[in-house]
Amino acid sequence: QRMADLYLVRQFLDQRAAFSRASFPSSELDLSLLKAILKHGWGCWKGISEDPLLSASLEKQVSSDNKPKQATWISIRAKRLLRILRKIHAEAGEEEEEEESEIEEQ
């Protein structure tokens, strides 16, 4: 499952326009977090929290003096973003199936 999740994150970052939905938050922090997950791997929260791309944006959410709290925040946020990406991906798959069935009916 984690490999599929990482593939989905990579797909999102490569084709962000295809995911342009109001339901997906696309703040700089979220994008930096997804990039850091690809760079360091899922579950490497300490490495992710120390990533230079993420640290500046993360400071606004959680103080750098509290590293355990940062790692917890990152973990929770990453799981939330992944749930949203999975939902969008599933909806896109359903739309493709509907289009294919309409073509077959014609």
Side-chain angles (χ1 to χ4, degrees):
Q1 180 66 41
R2 286 293 169 227
M3 292 302 291
D5 291 342
L6 290 174
Y7 175 77
L8 189 58
V9 169
R10 165 71 67 198
Q11 184 182 16
F12 168 75
L13 291 172
D14 289 346
Q15 303 170 1
R16 212 172 317 151
F19 284 84
S20 61
R21 306 229 175 155
S23 62
F24 189 79
S26 59
S27 71
E28 197 59 42
L29 177 60
D30 292 336
L31 296 175
S32 297
L33 176 56
L34 293 174
K35 289 175 186 176
I37 288 170
L38 284 179
K39 181 178 176 181
H40 298 281
W42 185 269
C44 298
W45 309 124
K46 184 176 186 286
I48 292 170
S49 68
E50 294 171 352
D51 190 285
L53 289 173
L54 185 62
S55 61
S57 300
L58 189 58
E59 276 290 317
K60 296 173 186 171
Q61 294 294 325
V62 183
S63 169
S64 62
D65 297 337
N66 195 342
K67 290 291 183 188
K69 190 172 182 182
Q70 272 190 347
T72 301
W73 186 91
I74 288 170
S75 171
I76 292 168
R77 185 68 180 170
K79 289 173 186 174
R80 180 174 180 267
L81 292 174
L82 198 53
R83 277 194 308 271
I84 293 169
L85 281 175
R86 284 181 191 149
K87 182 179 178 185
I88 292 170
H89 183 71
E91 289 172 358
E94 289 172 7
E95 289 173 7
E96 287 177 12
E97 287 177 12
E98 288 176 11
E99 289 173 5
E100 288 175 6
S101 65
E102 287 175 7
I103 291 171
E104 289 174 2
E105 291 175 2
Q106 294 175 356

